Amino acid sequence: MTKPKPRPAPPTATHTFRAVWPIIDGSGTAQTDQELILQAIGDLPTVAHRHKARIVGAPRACIADGRRVPGSGGALQVVVIEAPAVPANSREYRHNTGG
């Protein structure tokens, strides 16, 4: 009988990634605060990738007064999510030069 291979340990977070989404009345599909948060959590990996980060742990989310949150863009309310992260590995693409 073969033993299953142990799973590699998840990476240890090196920083906390924070993202902010403005809440704009009448512009989305969410009906509740929980739906807004779930949509933002679903978008979190994409946003983190754009900022060269990779999420490696469970996110924490809240809805906050936008006037007190840097990056709110003047929105009255925002969804704020923080999650453990590591720098994203850039992909080194090699181009065949026909050599």
Side-chain angles (χ1 to χ4, degrees), residues 47-58:
V47 173
H49 180 74
R50 280 198 309 261
H51 293 276
K52 297 181 172 53
R54 184 169 54 94
I55 304 302
V56 295

Side-chain angles (χ1 to χ4, degrees), residues 45-99:
T46 303
V47 173
H49 180 74
R50 280 198 309 261
H51 293 276
K52 297 181 172 53
R54 184 169 54 94
I55 304 302
V56 295
R60 295 181 314 270
C62 69
I63 293 180
D65 180 351
R67 295 172 295 178
R68 299 178 184 266
V69 178
S72 67
L76 294 177
Q77 289 188 308
V78 293
V79 175
V80 179
I81 299 182
E82 293 182 344
V86 296
N89 294 330
S90 62
R91 293 184 178 165
E92 299 286 334
Y93 290 105
R94 296 177 189 226
H95 297 280
N96 186 354
T97 58

